Amino acid sequence: GRLVVLVSGSGTNLQALLDASADPSYGATIVAVGADRDGIEGLARAERAGVPTFVEKLSSYGSRADWDTALAARIAVHKPDLVVAAGFMKILGEPTLSAYPVLNTHPALLPSFPGAHGVRDALAHGVKVTGCTVMLADAGVDTGPIVAQEAVRVFDGDDEHLLHERIKTVERGLLVDTVGRMAREGWTIAGRTVRLGSGGEQK
Ligand code: GRF
């Protein structure tokens, strides 16, 4: 299956997918990496792996709708079966969501602690267990159907960075396994069957 991965930061989730997809038996290849900003490690990781990249900045457009349309057009060039938002810090609009199944990953056990500060919010709440979630993206913020989750313990000395790094270690494995299973076996979730390869997605 053909993956387009969207990033906004360090790209360690992307790197895990790049490493896994180097094995032909994984069942998916990353055909392009997109970002909403320049100069991030995620783009450098793609370039080092010889994967085409593109950047679409919201600030380049007069409206959110124009950016949504432009981003969907850049993705379409690569004809993906699946889009993976891996640390992509923008809400994807209808042009992308209606064209492809989109997987997103979040560093908390949704529906707890959605949004851009899930690790900080979990820590502040004093939870003893948090974790990560892989879900199908919808038009909301971290509200799509949950596909996979894994728990991560919180330790007394944890600060946001330490906890997030511990979560990310688990998260990249969860994302790699979920994408690989979707690619090889297909996945039915919330009435949608995502199967990569020939037809992309069957309803
Ligand atoms: C991941 O924990 C992701 O869930 C969150 O931000 C982090 C991105 O990490 N949205 P990276 O860019 O994949 O290293």
Side-chain angles (χ1 to χ4, degrees):
R2 298 170 59 87
L3 306 179
V4 166
V5 181
L6 303 177
V7 295
S8 296
S10 58
T12 59
N13 281 295
L14 165 67
Q15 190 61 56
L17 288 167
L18 286 167
D19 297 347
S21 58
D23 176 344
S25 68
Y26 182 61
T29 54
I30 300 173
V31 294
V33 171
D36 60 338
R37 63 199 76 184
D38 278 313
I40 53 167
E41 182 61 14
L43 289 171
R45 293 177 190 277
E47 285 152 19
R48 283 198 290 273
V51 173
T53 62
F54 59 86
V55 177
E56 283 297 341
K57 297 176 190 166
L58 179 54
S59 56
S60 305
Y61 294 90
S63 72
R64 181 86 192 203
D66 289 350
W67 177 78
D68 283 335
T69 303
L71 181 67
R74 297 299 295 274
I75 293 170
V77 165
H78 300 285
K79 299 185 181 358
D81 301 306
L82 176 68
V83 173
V84 181
F88 188 63
M89 300 311 273
K90 291 280 190 309
I91 304 301
L92 289 166
E94 209 47 41
T96 297
L97 295 173
S98 60
Y100 313 101
V102 178
L103 271 190
N104 189 8
T105 177
H106 182 72
L109 292 176
L110 294 174
S112 297
F113 312 118
H117 306 293
V119 179
R120 182 189 311 170
D121 297 343
L123 204 56
H125 196 95
V127 299
K128 301 308 174 192
V129 175
T130 185
C132 46
T133 303
V134 176
M135 68 281 193
L136 276 184
D138 66 10
V141 179
D142 298 327
T143 50
I146 290 172
V147 176
Q149 293 190 303
E150 194 158 330
V152 174
R153 294 193 67 78
V154 181
F155 296 121
D156 292 344
D158 277 345
D159 61 14
E160 182 180 352
H161 177 73
L162 198 57
L163 178 54
H164 199 168
E165 285 312 306
R166 186 175 315 118
I167 293 170
K168 284 171 80 169
T169 304
V170 170
E171 179 181 24
R172 48 185 166 259
L174 189 68
L175 184 63
V176 164
D177 292 351
T178 303
V179 170
R181 281 183 55 192
M182 271 190 177
R184 294 187 301 274
E185 303 154 24
W187 197 299
T188 299
I189 168 88
R192 289 176 72 170
T193 296
V194 179
R195 190 181 313 285
L196 311 193
S198 54
E201 178 192 0
Q202 284 82 33
K203 291 281 179 202

